């Protein structure tokens, strides 16, 4: 049984006295008085007997009351708060996969290219539903038709894990949502948007013999910054490490690698892998720098 703390204090006071007590004595003991509902509760449960003597009630602790005090209280187990109900995503598994594929490729895809990547073409009801919700733009005048993700589509892709997946294909889709949640956390930590992360590598056109950057008083780091500045258009844009290295002839790869790693601790400097490894050629792979257990191929320096 459960009792309020004031009633338990009265029981303990009666136990400590070892004799009946009236309300004046209970009050003097600092536990208040036993009246009304409280008296009825203890009497009904057989923990206390209350007898009116003249004009005052005298309360006596029963054996049941002593047994109650001798029984350790049950720990209060707090029920876990129910998980907030997530809004339904409102898309079929294939429609969700279409959004993810278009995000990962971060470019226009012909229906032929899309089918080769996703394993199914984006047409019929799936295409109509995505276009109607404003998540995908489809140019049906092109042959084959061409799809690309809209701003609303990018927004949905970033927040997929905050919605309830459809029941069909739930296990696989739930796993995908978990992956997207972790990707989002990682990009937030790197201070990268999804668009920047999945952006296709653009091969910078440079002269066959790019102007070399001299090693000045600022050393290899200064030369890297100068090479980046010459290549970035606009400033702060992503530049391939292969192009940066081309402007540093004679500088050992290890020296450039060490300088790049050291620069990562400075504000505004970012060096990342390319999301689509298939887009890399042998030159890009050879120019990569190993950071955090993976090869990175692009760098950016935000203008201060």
């Amino acid at each position: 049984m459960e009792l309020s703390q004031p009633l338990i204090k009265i029981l303990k006071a009666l136990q400590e006295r070892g004799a009946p007590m009236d309300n004046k004595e209970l009050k003097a003991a600092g536990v208040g008085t036993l009246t009304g509902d409280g008296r009825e509760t203890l009497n009904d449960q057989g923990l206390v007997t209350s007898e009116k003597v003249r004009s005052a009630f005298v309360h006596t602790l029963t054996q049941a009351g002593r047994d109650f005090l001798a029984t350790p209280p049950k720990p209060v187990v707090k029920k876990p708060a129910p998980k907030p109900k997530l809004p339904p995503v409102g898309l079929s598994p294939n429609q969700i996969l279409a959004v993810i594929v278009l995000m990962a490729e971060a470019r226009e895809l012909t229906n032929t290219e899309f089918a080769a990547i996703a394993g199914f073409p984006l047409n019929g009801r799936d295409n109509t539903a995505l276009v109607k919700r404003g998540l995908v733009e489809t140019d049906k005048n092109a042959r084959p038709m061409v799809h690309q993700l809209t701003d609303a589509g990018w927004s949905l892709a970033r927040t997929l894990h905050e919605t309830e997946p459809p029941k069909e294909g739930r296990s696989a889709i739930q796993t995908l949502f978990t992956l997207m949640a972790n990707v989002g956390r990682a990009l937030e930590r790197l201070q990268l948007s999804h668009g920047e992360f999945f952006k296709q590598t653009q091969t910078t056109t440079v002269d066959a013999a790019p102007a070399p950057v001299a090693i000045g008083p600022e050393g290899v780091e200064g030369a890297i910054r100068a090479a980046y500045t010459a290549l970035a258009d606009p400033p702060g844009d992503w530049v391939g490490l292969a192009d940066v290295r081309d402007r540093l002839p004679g500088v050992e790869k290890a020296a450039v690698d060490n300088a790049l790693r050291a620069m990562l601790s400075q504000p505004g400097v970012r060096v990342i892998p390319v999301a689509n490894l298939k887009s890399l050629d042998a030159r890009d792979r050879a120019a990569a720098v190993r950071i955090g257990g993976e090869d990175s191929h692009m760098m950016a320096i935000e203008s201060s």
Side-chain angles (χ1 to χ4, degrees), residues 122 127 130-131 136-141 145-148 150:
L122 181 53
N127 180 245
L130 292 173
V131 171
V136 170
E137 287 181 355
T138 297
D139 181 1
K140 293 187 176 182
N141 293 322
M145 58 184 175
V146 175
H147 314 288
Q148 65 176 333
T150 65

Side-chain angles (χ1 to χ4, degrees), residues 97-169:
L97 293 176
V99 169
I100 296 299
V101 166
L102 290 172
M103 176 193 67
E105 286 298 306
R107 62 188 177 94
E108 290 185 344
L109 288 178
T110 67
N111 213 29
T112 304
E113 291 175 312
F114 181 93
I117 296 169
F120 61 92
L122 181 53
N123 49 28
R125 292 182 180 178
D126 288 336
N127 180 245
T128 300
L130 292 173
V131 171
K132 187 174 181 179
R133 281 190 55 173
L135 304 175
V136 170
E137 287 181 355
T138 297
D139 181 1
K140 293 187 176 182
N141 293 322
R143 290 292 182 271
M145 58 184 175
V146 175
H147 314 288
Q148 65 176 333
L149 211 56
T150 65
D151 289 343
W154 278 99
S155 178
L156 175 67
R158 289 192 297 269
T159 58
L160 266 177
H161 59 284
E162 298 173 6
T163 63
E164 185 71 20
K167 292 181 180 180
E168 317 92 89

Side-chain angles (χ1 to χ4, degrees), residues 44-242:
D44 290 346
Q45 295 187 12
L47 305 179
V48 168
T49 59
S50 299
E51 181 181 0
K52 194 169 186 180
V53 179
R54 298 186 182 88
S55 61
F57 277 100
V58 176
H59 313 290
T60 303
L61 186 67
T62 66
Q63 183 60 46
R66 286 188 284 272
D67 292 342
F68 174 83
L69 292 173
T71 303
K74 294 181 180 180
V76 178
V77 179
K78 291 185 178 180
K79 294 182 179 180
K83 292 183 178 180
K85 191 172 182 179
L86 298 176
V89 66
L91 298 176
S92 70
N94 272 9
Q95 291 162 13
I96 293 170
L97 293 176
V99 169
I100 296 299
V101 166
L102 290 172
M103 176 193 67
E105 286 298 306
R107 62 188 177 94
E108 290 185 344
L109 288 178
T110 67
N111 213 29
T112 304
E113 291 175 312
F114 181 93
I117 296 169
F120 61 92
L122 181 53
N123 49 28
R125 292 182 180 178
D126 288 336
N127 180 245
T128 300
L130 292 173
V131 171
K132 187 174 181 179
R133 281 190 55 173
L135 304 175
V136 170
E137 287 181 355
T138 297
D139 181 1
K140 293 187 176 182
N141 293 322
R143 290 292 182 271
M145 58 184 175
V146 175
H147 314 288
Q148 65 176 333
L149 211 56
T150 65
D151 289 343
W154 278 99
S155 178
L156 175 67
R158 289 192 297 269
T159 58
L160 266 177
H161 59 284
E162 298 173 6
T163 63
E164 185 71 20
K167 292 181 180 180
E168 317 92 89
R170 191 164 200 166
S171 177
I173 296 298
Q174 184 62 58
T175 300
L176 180 62
F177 280 26
T178 301
L179 172 64
M180 291 305 300
N182 282 279
V183 168
R185 281 194 291 270
L187 294 184
E188 184 177 349
R189 188 167 59 248
L190 294 171
Q191 297 184 334
L192 280 176
S193 70
H194 285 65
E196 286 180 308
F197 180 69
F198 288 108
K199 181 180 178 182
Q200 290 287 322
T201 305
Q202 300 295 325
T203 304
T204 305
T205 304
V206 296
D207 297 334
V213 175
I215 306 298
E218 296 181 353
V220 177
E221 178 183 333
I224 292 173
R225 288 181 176 273
Y228 172 83
T229 300
L231 292 165
D233 184 20
D237 198 8
W238 292 103
V239 170
L241 292 183

Side-chain angles (χ1 to χ4, degrees), residues 241 245 253 256-258 260-261 264 271-272 284-292 294-298:
L241 292 183
R245 293 185 193 274
K253 183 177 187 298
V256 176
D257 288 353
N258 292 335
L260 287 169
R261 295 187 188 104
L264 284 176
V271 182
I272 65 167
D284 294 317
R285 295 178 188 277
V289 56
R290 195 77 172 170
I291 297 174
E294 61 181 344
D295 288 340
S296 294
H297 315 87
M298 306 283 290

Side-chain angles (χ1 to χ4, degrees), residues 7-61:
L7 291 181
I8 292 175
K9 288 181 179 179
I10 288 174
L11 292 179
K12 289 182 177 179
L14 290 170
Q15 184 183 50
E16 290 174 4
R17 175 66 65 87
M21 298 174 71
D22 60 22
N23 281 336
K24 286 185 179 180
E25 292 172 316
L26 287 172
K27 190 172 183 179
V31 295
T33 59
L34 185 56
T35 60
D37 292 341
R39 183 178 67 240
E40 289 183 10
T41 297
L42 295 184
N43 285 184
D44 290 346
Q45 295 187 12
L47 305 179
V48 168
T49 59
S50 299
E51 181 181 0
K52 194 169 186 180
V53 179
R54 298 186 182 88
S55 61
F57 277 100
V58 176
H59 313 290
T60 303
L61 186 67

